Amino acid sequence: MKAELNQRLTQVGPGTPGGELLRRYWQPVALLDEFDPALDPRMAVRTVKPVRLLGQNLVLFRDAQGQFGLLDRDCPHRGADLAFGRNEGDGLRCPFHGWKFDTSGQCIETPAEPAGSTLCTRIRQRSYPLQTASGVLFAWLGPESQTPPPLPALDCFAAPASHTFAFKGLWHCNWLQSFEVGIDPAHASYLHRFFNDASLEDSYGKQFRGASAGDVGGERWPMTRVMREFGQPQISFEATPYGLQLTALRPMTEELTHVRITNAVFPQTFVIPLSETMTITQMHVPVDDTHNYWYAFFTSFDGPVDKEAMRNQRLPAVTLPDYIPKSGRQNHWGFNPEEQQTRTYLGMGEDDINVHDQWACESMGAIQDRTREHLGTTDRVIMANRRLLQQAIDTVEQGGTPPGIADAALHSAISGPDTVDGIAPAKDWQAWWQEGVRAKRENAPWVGRDVMAESK
Ligand code: FES
Ligand SMILES: [Fe+2]
């Protein structure tokens, strides 16, 4: 890849072609949990958070009515930082000269101006549309003259609050190389390889620790065993209204093949199976060119999600309030050569496989130098996705409609998407997995109900 193209695909700031594309898609801006005083005691005093998104500095606050506002951080008077503002319940007041703004960005007071001044009626700070879905606040940073599309009916949004759980973490690198890990089905056999399988009983909420669907002669197989023993996946993909559907086949015997169906929801989201009844929808949200947050939505097609268990599994790996991982470049991501020799392929722990992906992304450098890479057969989805990204950037630059979930006209064709990790009859694997997901949806207590409409 040419250096110019790498830059075009990875830049996210205002006015950059890539940044303009990403601004057409709803972006997660905070977990609702970040406003919970139990997790961030500062929230008991003051519900204000500085936020950086797509290279822009913003301030997110909640007023006394529970309404959220997302504003540019530089006060429109003389530029002081509104993240230090006084949250007075009906608006956020700049402590420099007391100008006050409501959640829409409208200036409602300029107390130092002479009595009778109407200056504030003519001042509005740029504010951005917000909406909440599945425990996460989403913002839309597209052009003020345009109407944002609705959120698509992906499973992670269609499921009721009881059946989803969201968490996040900061990675110190560009969003695209992080996303490209999620659409790389080959790495699971190497980066996440465990030399021993853990008990299937203790697999709740843990990626790759559950069993693949189906069986081998009546025996259940942990995903880790399939991944370890079958390391040459045959990877293919199909274009869909939301992006790409990925198939990775690992032929096991004459009669059996492992099939893993995952999805790339253009441009930043992948949807993969966690277990037979749970999916992970993960979005890679640029903070700026060299940082991104992953936001993961766990969606259950079975009973309610045990949010407390899921949160407690993940909280020890990060420091609050900013969800910064405790492992990183500063401590070699916890690398342990003894573990690498005896227990795992990578040597960065067995409990939190997120660290494995974090190492893969961050160790490439802040922005991967794609002029020096050599892609192989297993990288075909990554190549296809880059072509889509390039085309979409061109489309938006030329004034066209961005593809996938940013195009409201496509929403009636977008749902799911389905995921599978299972051991199928080699000759009939397609019908097998499609029947599997049909049964999973039929049994899900919420599928087919319009939860989004009910909650309004
Ligand atoms: S700079 Fe904010 S009120 Fe003056
Ligand atoms: Fe991974």
Side-chain angles (χ1 to χ4, degrees):
M1 180 181 289
K2 294 254 169 48
E4 300 77 56
L5 180 58
N6 196 28
Q7 206 175 51
R8 194 170 162 85
L9 297 184
T10 53
Q11 284 184 336
V12 302
T16 63
E20 288 309 305
L21 172 74
L22 295 175
R23 279 169 174 73
R24 302 305 204 277
Y25 297 81
W26 285 97
Q27 303 284 339
V29 65
L31 301 171
L32 284 179
D33 276 354
E34 293 174 57
F35 285 84
D36 179 352
L39 291 168
D40 184 356
R42 300 175 312 169
M43 290 297 150
V45 181
R46 182 174 166 272
T47 48
V48 181
K49 274 187 87 76
V51 162
R52 197 163 151 76
L53 180 62
L54 295 169
Q56 283 180 250
N57 289 323
L58 308 167
V59 57
L60 176 64
F61 70 105
R62 193 179 66 202
D63 70 13
Q65 277 72 52
Q67 187 83 26
F68 284 96
L70 181 68
L71 311 181
D72 283 335
R73 265 171 76 178
D74 54 329
C75 177
H77 179 212
R78 280 170 44 208
D81 186 351
L82 290 175
F84 293 88
R86 303 171 58 84
N87 189 3
E88 298 188 346
D90 59 346
L92 187 66
R93 192 189 288 282
C94 177
F96 197 176
H97 312 92
W99 290 21
K100 187 175 187 175
F101 307 90
D102 67 15
T103 54
S104 77
Q106 181 60 49
C107 183
I108 51 177
E109 272 179 40
T110 51
E113 294 296 304
S117 163
T118 57
L119 176 63
C120 73
T121 62
R122 299 187 298 279
I123 306 285
R124 204 176 78 82
Q125 179 72 327
R126 173 99 196 253
S127 76
Y128 300 88
L130 287 172
Q131 63 176 312
T132 305
S134 300
V136 171
L137 274 159
F138 285 80
W140 196 76
L141 272 59
E144 270 186 298
S145 58
Q146 293 186 16
T147 312
L151 274 185
L154 301 177
D155 289 326
C156 65
F157 302 138
S162 54
H163 285 64
T164 65
F165 169 71
F167 201 75
K168 73 177 202 177
L170 182 72
W171 286 356
H172 293 71
C173 65
N174 183 258
W175 74 276
L176 182 59
Q177 67 211 51
S178 301
F179 177 65
E180 287 181 345
V181 172
I183 55 171
D184 165 14
H187 83 276
S189 284
Y190 301 93
L191 182 70
H192 303 305
R193 181 179 301 185
F194 299 100
F195 298 162
N196 297 295
D197 303 308
S199 149
L200 289 173
E201 264 78 80
D202 186 32
S203 64
Y204 184 79
K206 297 181 188 163
Q207 207 176 348
F208 292 121
R209 286 306 197 179
S212 285
D215 62 88
V216 182
E219 189 193 350
R220 301 278 278 155
W221 273 42
M223 289 183 198
T224 47
R225 181 170 176 194
V226 182
M227 292 298 139
R228 181 174 65 242
E229 294 190 12
F230 301 95
Q232 288 181 336
Q234 299 162 2
I235 298 165
S236 58
F237 63 88
E238 246 176 71
T240 66
Y242 57 80
L244 302 171
Q245 182 184 69
L246 286 58
T247 304
L249 294 179
R250 288 174 164 85
M252 298 173 72
T253 64
E254 288 284 293
E255 288 79 38
L256 295 175
T257 187
H258 181 264
V259 49
R260 193 167 160 92
I261 305 286
T262 57
N263 303 274
V265 178
F266 188 82
Q268 295 152 274
T269 303
F270 58 83
V271 187
I272 60 176
L274 174 77
S275 68
E276 268 188 83
T277 55
M278 222 188 261
T279 59
I280 306 177
T281 306
Q282 186 157 311
M283 308 179 179
H284 284 280
V285 185
V287 172
D288 52 29
D289 288 349
T290 56
H291 299 83
N292 74 97
Y293 273 111
W294 56 266
Y295 278 77
F297 298 77
F298 301 84
T299 308
S300 169
F301 289 76
D302 190 2
V305 175
D306 186 344
K307 292 183 205 256
E308 208 176 307
M310 299 285 278
R311 194 180 290 114
N312 290 341
Q313 280 173 350
R314 287 161 180 79
L315 273 178
V318 296
T319 54
L320 300 184
D322 294 320
Y323 292 75
I324 297 172
K326 290 176 185 164
S327 291
R329 186 178 294 279
Q330 73 283 359
N331 56 13
H332 299 177
W333 297 274
F335 179 60
N336 174 350
E338 188 270 333
E339 178 195 315
Q340 189 178 57
Q341 217 158 35
T342 55
R343 282 175 287 149
T344 68
Y345 200 77
L346 171 67
M348 293 184 186
E350 295 173 79
D351 293 333
D352 180 14
I353 77 148
N354 206 277
V355 175
H356 309 172
D357 296 309
Q358 184 192 349
W359 165 80
C361 300
E362 291 183 346
S363 71
M364 293 173 183
I367 302 175
Q368 187 205 345
D369 181 358
R370 292 181 176 77
T371 67
R372 291 168 54 80
E373 69 180 1
H374 300 82
L375 300 181
T377 312
T378 60
D379 299 309
R380 63 196 334 159
V381 184
I382 288 171
M383 294 186 242
N385 184 64
R386 289 179 190 173
R387 284 193 296 274
L388 282 180
L389 184 57
Q390 202 178 337
Q391 283 162 9
I393 290 172
D394 293 347
T395 300
V396 167
E397 198 170 48
Q398 290 154 17
T401 307
I405 56 177
D407 182 356
L410 293 175
H411 279 212
S412 59
I414 294 176
S415 65
D418 288 316
T419 69
V420 169
D421 183 296
I423 297 162
K427 288 192 186 61
D428 211 16
W429 61 269
Q430 268 152 317
W432 180 88
W433 82 258
Q434 280 158 2
E435 170 54 26
V437 296
R438 198 194 54 73
K440 180 176 84 168
R441 288 191 178 278
E442 213 167 81
N443 292 331
W446 52 268
V447 172
R449 281 174 47 203
D450 192 348
V451 178
M452 288 204 280
E454 283 170 24
S455 67
K456 274 178 195 138

